[in-house]
Short mmCIF file of all heavy atoms in Angstrom, two decimals:
data_model
loop_
_atom_site.label_atom_id
_atom_site.label_comp_id
_atom_site.label_asym_id
_atom_site.label_seq_id
_atom_site.Cartn_x
_atom_site.Cartn_y
_atom_site.Cartn_z
N ARG A 678 -15.04 -11.63 -0.94
CA ARG A 678 -15.63 -11.00 0.22
C ARG A 678 -14.76 -11.25 1.44
O ARG A 678 -14.24 -12.34 1.64
CB ARG A 678 -17.03 -11.56 0.48
CG ARG A 678 -17.98 -11.20 -0.60
CD ARG A 678 -19.40 -11.53 -0.20
NE ARG A 678 -20.29 -11.19 -1.28
CZ ARG A 678 -21.16 -12.02 -1.80
NH1 ARG A 678 -21.28 -13.24 -1.33
NH2 ARG A 678 -21.93 -11.64 -2.79
N ALA A 697 -3.12 9.72 10.73
CA ALA A 697 -1.66 9.87 10.63
C ALA A 697 -1.30 10.79 9.47
O ALA A 697 -0.38 11.62 9.59
CB ALA A 697 -1.01 8.50 10.44
N ALA A 722 7.96 6.93 -8.02
CA ALA A 722 7.00 6.08 -7.30
C ALA A 722 5.75 5.84 -8.15
O ALA A 722 5.24 4.71 -8.21
CB ALA A 722 6.62 6.71 -5.97
N VAL A 740 2.72 -14.33 -7.39
CA VAL A 740 3.01 -13.27 -6.44
C VAL A 740 3.33 -12.02 -7.25
O VAL A 740 4.12 -12.07 -8.20
CB VAL A 740 4.21 -13.66 -5.54
CG1 VAL A 740 4.55 -12.54 -4.59
CG2 VAL A 740 3.91 -14.93 -4.79
N LEU A 792 0.47 4.96 7.59
CA LEU A 792 0.88 4.57 8.94
C LEU A 792 2.36 4.22 8.98
O LEU A 792 3.07 4.58 9.94
CB LEU A 792 0.05 3.37 9.42
CG LEU A 792 -1.36 3.67 9.88
CD1 LEU A 792 -2.11 2.38 10.17
CD2 LEU A 792 -1.33 4.54 11.13
#
Side-chain angles (χ1 to χ4, degrees):
R678 293 191 181 127
V740 178
L792 283 173

